[in-house]
Amino acid sequence: MHSVLRVVTFNTLFGGHSDSGLGLAERWDGQVEFLRSLRADVLALQECNFWDLLGRRRLHRMVTALGMAQGFLAEANVTTAGHRFHSAILLSERVAVDAEDADRTRYHHVMGWANLTVPGMEGLVELRNLHLDPFDPRNRAREVAPLGILAAPGRRSLVVGDFNTVGLGFAEPDWSTLPPHLRNGHLHLPGQAESSDRDALELLARAGFVDTSSRFGQETAATAAFGDGDVPRRQDLILASPAMAAGLVRYQVHMEPVDMGLSDHAAVSADFDLGVLAQGA
């Protein structure tokens, strides 16, 4: 096999700290050890609360602790509860940056993005790191609407992150076990079938994006919502444009963060064969 590009997405649950990110770093060291073991080339993180403070100190300490080459923080909007769920993109020394930035204008939290170059391959890999609206399914559809163009022929694109919606192919959850005040963030509008609103993912699928889990029969593997009283579901996703999906060779859900109490989310990884991608350039 040729050299692979490993892409990982992980929701850190308040950046590895207690008290919504304000408290002790009680999960930080465990997360560092786990993430280091994955040896990611592209690491997309969500819920990086307070990573903007003191000169983005937590961001840079994570980059250093993982042995990555560089990291970029996408600073999020303030929520109605006062949170700022920043996201981050960390890159290994194998990956160079052509451009990077963040978009808060149309997003409940933020979208971080980077255009990347990788060894032996001409052209760019276009990465988008999402943490979609957890409360309004209609807004999630609006958030992803401009991203369909990234699936155009020849464009090697990745849309990854915490989509806060149930992945396509995942069995319909039993929402009756979820308290009523939490259901509106997941279901269709009243008067429609009381089932999961997956419109955001349907839009991306119709545009041509491939859910990397589907190539390996992992659509039914839950990745999130393992907390008490929640409904486990698959919402941490790595979607690839057709040109990028041509190089897909592996997909895996990593349950260690949940099993070790490091987060209420698993991590997800996908490997892409750079030799195959180079041939398609």
Side-chain angles (χ1 to χ4, degrees):
M1 181 184 298
H2 291 90
S3 176
V4 300
L5 181 79
R6 170 160 288 188
V7 179
V8 174
T9 183
F10 177 54
N11 184 313
T12 67
L13 184 59
F14 303 121
H17 289 245
S18 63
D19 192 20
S20 300
L22 282 169
L24 298 175
E26 55 188 15
R27 291 175 285 105
W28 176 275
D29 289 343
Q31 290 185 359
V32 166
E33 183 177 358
F34 163 69
L35 291 172
R36 189 189 295 125
S37 74
L38 297 184
R39 302 178 66 84
D41 292 300
V42 177
L43 176 59
L45 301 175
Q46 302 87 43
E47 289 200 20
C48 302
N49 296 33
F50 300 104
W51 284 27
D52 59 314
L53 300 184
L54 300 174
R56 300 185 170 184
R57 188 172 70 181
R58 291 184 184 177
L59 169 71
H60 296 298
R61 287 185 173 179
M62 181 62 79
V63 170
T64 300
L66 296 182
M68 305 293 274
Q70 53 190 329
F72 305 94
L73 192 70
E75 297 189 16
N77 296 309
V78 179
T79 70
T80 53
H83 295 293
R84 294 186 71 196
F85 290 105
H86 308 311
S87 64
I89 296 171
L90 279 63
L91 304 171
S92 78
E93 63 183 6
R94 301 174 66 224
V95 182
V97 178
D98 184 72
E100 60 83 21
D101 209 335
D103 183 359
R104 288 191 296 272
T105 303
R106 66 179 300 117
Y107 293 91
H108 177 81
H109 293 307
V110 66
M111 180 190 72
W113 65 268
N115 292 340
L116 311 173
T117 59
V118 296
M121 191 179 76
E122 295 182 3
L124 298 173
V125 173
E126 301 176 85
L127 174 71
R128 304 295 183 264
N129 182 16
L130 300 182
H131 188 187
L132 298 184
D133 192 332
F135 303 115
D136 185 352
R138 275 65 57 187
N139 194 40
R140 289 197 291 268
R142 289 188 290 270
E143 288 178 307
V144 305
L147 303 182
I149 192 67
L150 295 173
R155 294 184 76 164
R156 290 172 297 220
S157 308
L158 293 164
V159 178
V160 311
D162 180 355
F163 284 68
N164 270 315
T165 190
V166 180
L168 302 181
F170 191 86
E172 183 66 26
D174 180 5
W175 296 112
S176 67
T177 64
L178 194 68
H181 69 281
L182 297 176
R183 295 177 193 168
N184 285 340
H186 303 285
L187 302 178
H188 289 287
L189 288 171
Q192 303 180 41
E194 191 160 303
S195 60
S196 303
D197 188 314
R198 312 187 198 199
D199 286 357
L201 296 179
E202 293 283 4
L203 286 172
L204 293 174
R206 187 167 67 184
F209 274 99
V210 175
D211 188 327
T212 54
S213 70
S214 66
R215 294 282 179 89
F216 300 92
Q218 295 294 305
E219 302 99 319
T220 61
T223 68
F226 295 104
D228 292 340
D230 213 335
V231 179
R233 50 193 178 269
R234 187 171 69 86
Q235 67 182 49
D236 303 270
L237 311 178
I238 298 177
L239 308 182
S241 65
M244 191 72 191
L248 179 64
V249 292
R250 189 181 186 194
Y251 169 91
Q252 188 173 354
V253 176
H254 304 268
M255 291 298 298
E256 292 93 329
V258 176
D259 296 338
M260 298 168 62
L262 301 175
S263 177
D264 56 350
H265 289 250
V268 176
S269 67
D271 292 350
F272 297 86
D273 188 321
L274 292 176
V276 173
L277 293 178
Q279 293 172 12

